[in-house]
PDB file of all heavy atoms in Angstrom:
ATOM      1  N   LEU A 247    -230.661 175.820  26.004  1.00  0.00           N
ATOM      2  CA  LEU A 247    -229.528 174.873  25.961  1.00  0.00           C
ATOM      3  C   LEU A 247    -229.335 174.504  24.497  1.00  0.00           C
ATOM      4  O   LEU A 247    -230.257 173.991  23.857  1.00  0.00           O
ATOM      5  CB  LEU A 247    -229.872 173.636  26.803  1.00  0.00           C
ATOM      6  CG  LEU A 247    -228.882 172.475  26.734  1.00  0.00           C
ATOM      7  CD1 LEU A 247    -227.495 172.886  27.218  1.00  0.00           C
ATOM      8  CD2 LEU A 247    -229.393 171.303  27.572  1.00  0.00           C
ATOM      9  N   ASP A 248    -228.159 174.791  23.965  1.00  0.00           N
ATOM     10  CA  ASP A 248    -227.887 174.454  22.565  1.00  0.00           C
ATOM     11  C   ASP A 248    -227.557 172.965  22.472  1.00  0.00           C
ATOM     12  O   ASP A 248    -228.175 172.215  21.729  1.00  0.00           O
ATOM     13  CB  ASP A 248    -226.757 175.364  22.057  1.00  0.00           C
ATOM     14  CG  ASP A 248    -226.394 175.108  20.608  1.00  0.00           C
ATOM     15  OD1 ASP A 248    -226.953 174.173  20.005  1.00  0.00           O
ATOM     16  OD2 ASP A 248    -225.551 175.842  20.066  1.00  0.00           O
ATOM     17  N   TYR A 249    -226.538 172.547  23.240  1.00  0.00           N
ATOM     18  CA  TYR A 249    -226.256 171.100  23.305  1.00  0.00           C
ATOM     19  C   TYR A 249    -225.639 170.753  24.638  1.00  0.00           C
ATOM     20  O   TYR A 249    -225.024 171.606  25.308  1.00  0.00           O
ATOM     21  CB  TYR A 249    -225.350 170.631  22.144  1.00  0.00           C
ATOM     22  CG  TYR A 249    -223.985 171.272  22.076  1.00  0.00           C
ATOM     23  CD1 TYR A 249    -222.969 170.960  22.989  1.00  0.00           C
ATOM     24  CD2 TYR A 249    -223.683 172.194  21.074  1.00  0.00           C
ATOM     25  CE1 TYR A 249    -221.722 171.536  22.911  1.00  0.00           C
ATOM     26  CE2 TYR A 249    -222.428 172.792  20.995  1.00  0.00           C
ATOM     27  CZ  TYR A 249    -221.461 172.449  21.914  1.00  0.00           C
ATOM     28  OH  TYR A 249    -220.206 173.031  21.842  1.00  0.00           O
ATOM     29  N   LEU A 250    -225.835 169.492  25.031  1.00  0.00           N
ATOM     30  CA  LEU A 250    -225.186 168.931  26.227  1.00  0.00           C
ATOM     31  C   LEU A 250    -224.858 167.497  25.859  1.00  0.00           C
ATOM     32  O   LEU A 250    -225.768 166.678  25.671  1.00  0.00           O
ATOM     33  CB  LEU A 250    -226.135 168.988  27.430  1.00  0.00           C
ATOM     34  CG  LEU A 250    -225.568 168.406  28.737  1.00  0.00           C
ATOM     35  CD1 LEU A 250    -224.356 169.210  29.224  1.00  0.00           C
ATOM     36  CD2 LEU A 250    -226.649 168.393  29.828  1.00  0.00           C
ATOM     37  N   GLU A 251    -223.583 167.185  25.706  1.00  0.00           N
ATOM     38  CA  GLU A 251    -223.202 165.870  25.194  1.00  0.00           C
ATOM     39  C   GLU A 251    -221.955 165.367  25.903  1.00  0.00           C
ATOM     40  O   GLU A 251    -221.146 166.149  26.400  1.00  0.00           O
ATOM     41  CB  GLU A 251    -222.904 165.950  23.689  1.00  0.00           C
ATOM     42  CG  GLU A 251    -224.113 166.300  22.847  1.00  0.00           C
ATOM     43  CD  GLU A 251    -223.831 166.123  21.363  1.00  0.00           C
ATOM     44  OE1 GLU A 251    -223.071 165.198  20.990  1.00  0.00           O
ATOM     45  OE2 GLU A 251    -224.367 166.922  20.586  1.00  0.00           O
ATOM     46  N   VAL A 252    -221.813 164.036  25.869  1.00  0.00           N
ATOM     47  CA  VAL A 252    -220.585 163.426  26.379  1.00  0.00           C
ATOM     48  C   VAL A 252    -219.909 162.738  25.191  1.00  0.00           C
ATOM     49  O   VAL A 252    -220.528 161.907  24.519  1.00  0.00           O
ATOM     50  CB  VAL A 252    -220.899 162.391  27.483  1.00  0.00           C
ATOM     51  CG1 VAL A 252    -219.607 161.765  28.000  1.00  0.00           C
ATOM     52  CG2 VAL A 252    -221.669 163.046  28.625  1.00  0.00           C
ATOM     53  N   ARG A 253    -218.700 163.129  24.931  1.00  0.00           N
ATOM     54  CA  ARG A 253    -217.972 162.574  23.778  1.00  0.00           C
ATOM     55  C   ARG A 253    -216.571 162.154  24.186  1.00  0.00           C
ATOM     56  O   ARG A 253    -216.026 162.654  25.180  1.00  0.00           O
ATOM     57  CB  ARG A 253    -217.870 163.622  22.683  1.00  0.00           C
ATOM     58  CG  ARG A 253    -219.245 164.059  22.163  1.00  0.00           C
ATOM     59  CD  ARG A 253    -219.171 164.310  20.715  1.00  0.00           C
ATOM     60  NE  ARG A 253    -220.428 164.662  20.137  1.00  0.00           N
ATOM     61  CZ  ARG A 253    -220.632 164.711  18.833  1.00  0.00           C
ATOM     62  NH1 ARG A 253    -219.648 164.426  18.000  1.00  0.00           N
ATOM     63  NH2 ARG A 253    -221.800 165.039  18.354  1.00  0.00           N
ATOM     64  N   SER A 254    -215.972 161.262  23.401  1.00  0.00           N
ATOM     65  CA  SER A 254    -214.604 160.829  23.715  1.00  0.00           C
ATOM     66  C   SER A 254    -213.653 162.018  23.551  1.00  0.00           C
ATOM     67  O   SER A 254    -213.860 162.884  22.683  1.00  0.00           O
ATOM     68  CB  SER A 254    -214.185 159.688  22.791  1.00  0.00           C
ATOM     69  OG  SER A 254    -214.081 160.140  21.477  1.00  0.00           O
ATOM     70  N   ALA A 255    -212.613 162.040  24.391  1.00  0.00           N
ATOM     71  CA  ALA A 255    -211.698 163.193  24.400  1.00  0.00           C
ATOM     72  C   ALA A 255    -210.795 163.220  23.170  1.00  0.00           C
ATOM     73  O   ALA A 255    -210.326 164.279  22.784  1.00  0.00           O
ATOM     74  CB  ALA A 255    -210.854 163.152  25.663  1.00  0.00           C
ATOM     75  N   ASP A 256    -210.569 162.052  22.540  1.00  0.00           N
ATOM     76  CA  ASP A 256    -209.610 162.031  21.420  1.00  0.00           C
ATOM     77  C   ASP A 256    -210.278 162.319  20.075  1.00  0.00           C
ATOM     78  O   ASP A 256    -209.816 163.160  19.313  1.00  0.00           O
ATOM     79  CB  ASP A 256    -208.843 160.700  21.393  1.00  0.00           C
ATOM     80  CG  ASP A 256    -209.758 159.476  21.373  1.00  0.00           C
ATOM     81  OD1 ASP A 256    -211.013 159.628  21.498  1.00  0.00           O
ATOM     82  OD2 ASP A 256    -209.238 158.352  21.224  1.00  0.00           O
ATOM     83  N   LEU A 257    -211.418 161.661  19.809  1.00  0.00           N
ATOM     84  CA  LEU A 257    -212.023 161.774  18.471  1.00  0.00           C
ATOM     85  C   LEU A 257    -213.420 162.373  18.501  1.00  0.00           C
ATOM     86  O   LEU A 257    -214.090 162.452  17.478  1.00  0.00           O
ATOM     87  CB  LEU A 257    -212.086 160.377  17.822  1.00  0.00           C
ATOM     88  CG  LEU A 257    -210.739 159.700  17.573  1.00  0.00           C
ATOM     89  CD1 LEU A 257    -210.927 158.263  17.098  1.00  0.00           C
ATOM     90  CD2 LEU A 257    -209.916 160.487  16.561  1.00  0.00           C
ATOM     91  N   LEU A 258    -213.885 162.749  19.686  1.00  0.00           N
ATOM     92  CA  LEU A 258    -215.234 163.327  19.863  1.00  0.00           C
ATOM     93  C   LEU A 258    -216.327 162.352  19.450  1.00  0.00           C
ATOM     94  O   LEU A 258    -217.372 162.781  18.924  1.00  0.00           O
ATOM     95  CB  LEU A 258    -215.381 164.657  19.098  1.00  0.00           C
ATOM     96  CG  LEU A 258    -214.435 165.787  19.504  1.00  0.00           C
ATOM     97  CD1 LEU A 258    -214.790 167.073  18.760  1.00  0.00           C
ATOM     98  CD2 LEU A 258    -214.460 166.009  21.010  1.00  0.00           C
ATOM     99  N   GLU A 259    -216.097 161.063  19.684  1.00  0.00           N
ATOM    100  CA  GLU A 259    -217.155 160.092  19.385  1.00  0.00           C
ATOM    101  C   GLU A 259    -218.167 160.101  20.521  1.00  0.00           C
ATOM    102  O   GLU A 259    -217.788 160.154  21.710  1.00  0.00           O
ATOM    103  CB  GLU A 259    -216.555 158.697  19.201  1.00  0.00           C
ATOM    104  CG  GLU A 259    -215.789 158.618  17.889  1.00  0.00           C
ATOM    105  CD  GLU A 259    -214.905 157.395  17.762  1.00  0.00           C
ATOM    106  OE1 GLU A 259    -214.617 156.753  18.788  1.00  0.00           O
ATOM    107  OE2 GLU A 259    -214.484 157.112  16.646  1.00  0.00           O
ATOM    108  N   PRO A 260    -219.497 160.048  20.189  1.00  0.00           N
ATOM    109  CA  PRO A 260    -220.505 160.069  21.245  1.00  0.00           C
ATOM    110  C   PRO A 260    -220.323 158.890  22.210  1.00  0.00           C
ATOM    111  O   PRO A 260    -220.050 157.777  21.772  1.00  0.00           O
ATOM    112  CB  PRO A 260    -221.827 159.936  20.471  1.00  0.00           C
ATOM    113  CG  PRO A 260    -221.501 160.391  19.092  1.00  0.00           C
ATOM    114  CD  PRO A 260    -220.063 160.034  18.846  1.00  0.00           C
ATOM    115  N   MET A 261    -220.440 159.148  23.497  1.00  0.00           N
ATOM    116  CA  MET A 261    -220.341 158.109  24.531  1.00  0.00           C
ATOM    117  C   MET A 261    -221.750 157.760  25.001  1.00  0.00           C
ATOM    118  O   MET A 261    -222.672 158.547  24.873  1.00  0.00           O
ATOM    119  CB  MET A 261    -219.531 158.625  25.721  1.00  0.00           C
ATOM    120  CG  MET A 261    -218.065 158.865  25.440  1.00  0.00           C
ATOM    121  SD  MET A 261    -217.114 157.326  25.336  1.00  0.00           S
ATOM    122  CE  MET A 261    -216.890 157.142  23.600  1.00  0.00           C
ATOM    123  N   GLY A 262    -221.907 156.590  25.597  1.00  0.00           N
ATOM    124  CA  GLY A 262    -223.194 156.187  26.165  1.00  0.00           C
ATOM    125  C   GLY A 262    -223.931 155.237  25.237  1.00  0.00           C
ATOM    126  O   GLY A 262    -223.401 154.828  24.221  1.00  0.00           O
TER     127      GLY A 262
END
Side-chain angles (χ1 to χ4, degrees):
L247 173 60
D248 180 355
Y249 61 73
L250 179 63
E251 295 190 35
V252 180
R253 298 216 177 192
S254 67
D256 54 354
L257 297 173
L258 299 186
E259 288 167 344
M261 293 285 103

